[in-house]
Every structure is written in C-alpha cells, then in structure tokens.
Amino acid sequence: MNEQFLIVACAFGCVTLFGYFLSRLLMGSADGKLRSRLNGEAADDRASPSSGAGTVMPLIRKMGQAAAEPFMPKTREKQSGLRKKLGYAGIYSSSAITFVTAAKVIMLLAGLGGGYAAGLMTGQMLLAVSAGGLLGYLAPTLWLKLKISGNQKELTYGLADALDLMVVCVEAGLTVDGAMQRVGQELALAHPALSRELGIAHMETRVGLSRGESMKNLGLRTGNAAIQSLAAMLIQADRFGTSIANALRIHADSLRNARQHIAEELAAKASVKMSFPLVLFIFPATFIVLAGPTVIGLMNSEFMK
C-alpha cells in the first residue's frame, strides 16, 4: 500500500510540474508587461522571443495537433459553436480549437491513468477508472466555462471606468473612434480584457468597417449584455444625432446603478447563505460549550444517581 501511494504521489507530482511548465510557456509572465511599462521599457515583446519557448513550443504544438486530429469537430456548426465559446472567453487564437480538443484527449488519458492508480489502492477498479476518465474529459470544458465567467466579469467591471474615460475624451474634442483607441491604451493594465476588445473594434474601423458594424461585432464577439447595450446605444446616438457624451455619461450611471443593485442582492443573500454553516457547525459547538457543564453537573448530581 505504501509503495502504491508513493507511485501515485510521484505521478501526480510529475503531472503537476508538467502542467505548470506548460502554462508558463503558453501564458508567459503575468507581470512582465507591468514591469516593462513601469521601467519605461518597450512593451513589444514579439521582437525578442525566448529561446526556450522558441524550441519547445513547436514540439508541443505538433503533439497537440496529432492528439486532436482524430477528434476535431468535422461540421462547421460545431466548430463555430466552440469558436463562439472561446470568443466569449477572450481567446481568439486560430489554434484554440485544436488546443481544447487536444486537452480533452490528454486529460481523458491522464484521468484514466489516475483512476487506474486509485483503483489499485482502493480496490474499486471500475468505479475509479470511470470517474477518473469522466473528470479528465470534463476538465477542459469546466476550465472553459470558468474562463468565460471570469472574462465576462472583467468586461462588466471595467466598462463603467472605460465610459468615464470616453466621456472625458469626447468632451475634450476626440472622435468616438479616437476615444476608443485612447481608452483602450490607458486601460491595458487595469482592465486588459476590455482594452483588447476596444483595440479589436478600433482596428475593424481602420480596415473599412463602419462604427455601427464594429460596435455590433463587439457585442456579438464578447456576448456581454452590458457591451451589447452600449453598442446599441452608440448606434442609436449616431443614427439620430444625439450627444455622444451625454449618452455615455447616462449609460455609465446606469451601469453603476446595476452594479450597486447586484451588490445589494448579494448582501441580502449572505444572511441566508450563512444560516447553513451556523446551524450545522456554530450552533452545535455553542450549545455544547454552554450546556455541556450543566449536563455534566446534572449527570453527577444526586438526582441522577
């Protein structure tokens, strides 16, 4: 039993180290951009890629493509559905579909291996292998859902600040396109997800799309309700010739009111959510502390004897 536990622990450690190394290669350093901007260095890191990533990444990409090729979605509908979910998560890489599919295959095999090792330890081979394979296959899907939820929260939380900056830029004399570009540059550190989306919308206007089409694409691409309402508001304001600054200011106030209402709703739910741990954990402990000495004294009294 001890040898099996050591084997499983070593395998788990190897998989964890491999996952950490792979995530560092794919994501890179999170604070590199912030440090380069604070130090006054150039923010463009594409001119000097690291040698380690340049040699390892093609190998990892080839392995992922080979693992995902038999399981890639064949129909255009399935590919568009997965690509739409990746867009909601803020992932626009052309190889993202291959990466997700390869992750499902690799995690399925890893889950089967972990379930087999757990079955050797517990004796429930069929249950452990089935549970491990199911968890491994569903892990990339759960990760994608968490990524979508996090990206939507980042977009919603940063939109009010972006609208305030856009109001300042528009009232200073910039056009809406120039304001979007400027705000996207200024929010690159505080709200990188929103900065990326505003940059994509600005690039679409530069290649020939109208402002209304770029804003409509922005709402469809992100799938965020607040951004979709902003796009509809800007399109209506541009069509009817109303003041853009006033419309942006009113929309920012409505977003803050909605955020305040959501916070008040969560605060109202907190008391209900706290009742379960109170009843299950705190009340029994308090009852034992308060009534325990009395019960012990009653048990030792002459009346009980």
Side-chain angles (χ1 to χ4, degrees):
M1 181 64 69
N2 294 331
E3 294 180 355
Q4 294 177 356
F5 178 76
L6 290 176
I7 292 174
V8 173
C10 292
F12 180 77
C14 293
V15 172
T16 304
L17 290 176
F18 177 75
Y20 175 76
F21 178 70
L22 181 61
S23 64
R24 294 288 293 179
L25 287 177
L26 294 178
M27 303 302 176
S29 180
D31 59 346
K33 190 174 182 180
L34 177 60
R35 292 181 182 274
S36 62
R37 180 164 180 175
L38 292 177
N39 294 329
E41 301 174 355
D44 191 4
D45 298 333
R46 292 174 294 179
S48 59
S50 60
S51 59
T55 56
V56 179
M57 285 300 295
L59 179 61
I60 296 177
R61 189 177 296 111
K62 289 181 180 179
M63 292 174 59
Q65 290 177 355
E69 185 64 29
F71 304 95
M72 284 289 292
K74 306 301 181 183
T75 61
R76 185 171 298 179
E77 290 79 8
K78 294 182 179 180
Q79 292 182 1
S80 62
L82 182 56
R83 193 174 298 276
K84 183 184 295 184
K85 292 181 180 179
L86 291 171
Y88 291 166
I91 302 173
Y92 301 110
S93 176
S94 58
S95 60
I97 296 180
T98 305
F99 177 77
V100 173
T101 306
K104 287 184 178 181
V105 177
I106 294 173
M107 291 302 295
L108 174 61
L109 297 177
L112 291 175
Y116 179 77
L120 291 177
M121 296 178 60
T122 60
Q124 302 291 332
M125 183 62 67
L126 181 60
L127 179 61
V129 171
S130 302
L134 183 61
L135 291 176
Y137 182 77
L138 294 179
T141 304
L142 296 176
W143 172 83
L144 184 58
K145 288 184 178 180
L146 293 176
K147 190 71 174 178
I148 292 173
S149 178
N151 187 62
Q152 296 298 317
K153 287 182 180 179
E154 290 182 3
L155 293 175
T156 303
Y157 290 160
L159 189 58
D161 298 335
L163 291 181
D164 290 336
L165 292 177
M166 287 184 67
V167 169
V168 174
C169 293
V170 170
E171 289 181 347
L174 289 178
T175 62
V176 178
D177 298 336
M180 289 176 58
Q181 180 186 11
R182 182 67 178 178
V183 171
Q185 293 176 355
E186 294 297 329
L187 293 179
L189 294 179
H191 305 288
L194 185 59
S195 174
R196 180 187 63 246
E197 300 299 338
L198 292 178
I200 294 174
H202 176 68
M203 291 300 297
E204 287 181 349
T205 58
R206 292 186 60 183
V207 298
L209 289 180
S210 64
R211 186 190 306 164
E213 291 178 350
S214 64
M215 295 303 298
K216 187 181 297 184
N217 292 336
L218 177 62
L220 293 176
R221 181 174 62 250
T222 58
N224 188 273
I227 294 181
Q228 289 176 355
S229 62
L230 172 64
M233 183 270 296
L234 289 177
I235 292 173
Q236 294 295 328
D238 192 14
R239 180 178 301 175
F240 296 107
T242 58
S243 176
I244 299 293
N246 292 332
L248 291 174
R249 186 180 292 107
I250 293 172
H251 194 70
D253 292 338
S254 65
L255 286 178
R256 285 194 173 85
N257 291 332
R259 186 188 300 180
Q260 183 178 359
H261 294 162
I262 293 174
E264 292 176 354
E265 181 182 356
L266 293 176
K269 291 180 179 178
S271 60
V272 180
K273 294 179 179 179
M274 288 176 62
S275 61
F276 295 100
L278 283 174
V279 173
L280 294 178
F281 302 105
I282 299 178
F283 282 172
T286 305
F287 181 77
I288 291 174
V289 171
L290 295 178
T294 305
V295 174
I296 294 174
L298 183 63
M299 295 295 294
N300 295 330
S301 63
E302 296 291 337
F303 178 76
M304 296 299 297
K305 294 181 179 179

